[in-house]
């Protein structure tokens, strides 16, 4: 089975901090995604990547950036954390047009 | 119009009943359709995928796709309390591999 591993289950950060969320998949998938999930708003796509060093903006990229230096690793960066970025962050990967496999999620609280 | 819409919940059914979850999508060229189950505090888990018109059965789950009506459904037969979760409909549009999610329907199965 594909495993998608997110480095932290829970994180608490201060406003203005630079935050790194790491995601690693072990099945050589080309496509990787970062979502955030908020009550009443569902899953919203932040950024995605189809290949190494390639990135595309999703629906809500403001305040975020990403890095994909290796195929298996896709990092989400909050340049200057704000309280409205408190959320559940979900990483996913897929091969082609098949369903995603999600990581276990990182619940980030910005205080 | 939302790209993927699900019937508003929450939905409550007695144990042993059939639960019916519905989803419509706006992009007529959409190719791939998925149902995810998400338990509270957990990440989404893929339970069904369907790519062509008709029914697809997997155990107690049946996915139905009607591309002409732009409609996808999930039937859960012999519902169990362990089926209580939020069910997310997701669609891959005509181009690319990014998933667009509905907001989800919360299902409660009462013993």
């Amino acid at each position: 089975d594909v495993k998608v591993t997110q480095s932290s289950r829970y994180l608490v950060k201060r406003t203005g901090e630079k935050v790194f969320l790491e995601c690693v998949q072990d099945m050589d998938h080309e496509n990787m995604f970062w979502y955030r999930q908020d009550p009443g708003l569902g899953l919203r796509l932040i950024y995605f990547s189809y290949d190494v060093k390639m990135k595309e903006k999703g629906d809500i990229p403001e305040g975020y950036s990403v890095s994909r230096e290796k195929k298996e690793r896709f990092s989400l960066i909050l340049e200057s954390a704000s309280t409205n970025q408190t959320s559940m962050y979900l990483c996913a990967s897929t091969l082609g047009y098949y369903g995603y496999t999600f990581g276990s999620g990182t619940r980030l609280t910005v205080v | 119009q939302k790209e993927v819409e699900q019937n508003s919940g929450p939905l409550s059914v007695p144990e042993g009943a059939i639960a019916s979850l519905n989803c419509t999508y706006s992009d007529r060229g959409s190719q791939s359709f998925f149902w995810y189950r998400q338990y509270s505090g957990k990440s989404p888990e893929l339970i069904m995928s369907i790519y062509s018109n008709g029914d697809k059965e997997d155990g107690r789950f049946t996915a139905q796709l009607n591309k002409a009506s732009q409609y996808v459904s999930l039937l859960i037969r012999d519902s169990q309390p362990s089926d209580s979760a939020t069910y997310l409909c997701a669609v891959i549009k005509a181009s690319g591999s990014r998933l667009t999610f509905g907001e989800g329907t919360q299902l409660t199965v009462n013993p």
Side-chain angles (χ1 to χ4, degrees):
Chain A
D1 280 352
V2 177
K3 189 167 247 187
V4 179
T5 303
Q6 293 184 232
S7 54
S8 303
R9 189 77 178 93
Y10 299 95
L11 272 180
V12 180
K13 296 291 182 181
R14 295 195 180 278
T15 301
E17 274 193 78
K18 190 169 186 176
V19 181
F20 293 85
L21 302 182
E22 304 288 343
C23 176
V24 177
Q25 51 93 5
D26 66 358
M27 282 299 289
D28 204 34
H29 284 177
E30 299 109 346
N31 308 318
M32 297 187 74
F33 306 82
W34 275 106
Y35 286 84
R36 64 178 283 178
Q37 187 174 32
D38 302 286
L41 296 175
L43 279 153
R44 294 181 291 168
L45 182 64
I46 305 171
Y47 266 97
F48 59 104
S49 170
Y50 290 145
D51 204 348
V52 176
K53 297 193 185 294
M54 175 274 177
K55 60 186 178 185
E56 293 274 354
K57 292 180 180 178
D59 300 321
I60 51 162
E62 296 78 20
Y64 303 94
S65 63
V66 290
S67 172
R68 194 165 182 200
E69 296 295 320
K70 294 184 177 181
K71 192 173 186 178
E72 67 271 17
R73 186 180 297 270
F74 191 36
S75 302
L76 180 70
I77 304 155
L78 286 66
E79 298 291 343
S80 177
S82 64
T83 54
N84 63 12
Q85 292 178 309
T86 291
S87 186
M88 170 70 92
Y89 289 87
L90 290 160
C91 175
S93 75
T94 188
L95 186 66
Y97 298 99
Y98 305 105
Y100 294 179
T101 298
F102 282 90
S104 55
T106 296
R107 186 165 293 281
L108 173 68
T109 302
V110 182
V111 298
Chain B
Q1 182 188 6
K2 292 180 181 177
E3 293 182 84
V4 180
E5 289 201 66
Q6 296 185 237
N7 52 331
S8 58
L11 177 65
S12 182
V13 301
E15 185 174 355
I18 295 175
S20 178
L21 303 162
N22 303 315
C23 174
T24 58
Y25 58 94
S26 62
D27 183 353
R28 186 168 288 279
S30 296
Q31 304 278 2
S32 307
F33 308 87
F34 306 90
W35 284 99
Y36 283 81
R37 177 177 62 200
Q38 187 174 25
Y39 293 114
S40 180
K42 302 293 187 183
S43 60
E45 170 195 12
L46 180 65
I47 56 171
M48 289 290 284
S49 58
I50 187 165
Y51 304 99
S52 55
N53 280 329
D55 294 359
K56 179 181 178 182
E57 189 174 313
D58 184 359
R60 296 186 295 110
F61 298 96
T62 299
Q64 300 174 317
L65 173 61
N66 183 327
K67 289 187 178 180
S69 301
Q70 295 175 239
Y71 176 88
V72 191
S73 67
L74 179 70
L75 299 177
I76 306 174
R77 291 182 302 281
D78 188 24
S79 295
Q80 300 296 309
S82 59
D83 295 325
S84 298
T86 296
Y87 289 81
L88 300 166
C89 173
V91 174
I92 292 181
K93 296 198 291 189
S95 61
S97 65
R98 54 178 286 183
L99 273 176
T100 300
F101 287 86
E103 289 190 20
T105 300
Q106 186 178 340
L107 171 68
T108 301
V109 180
N110 301 303

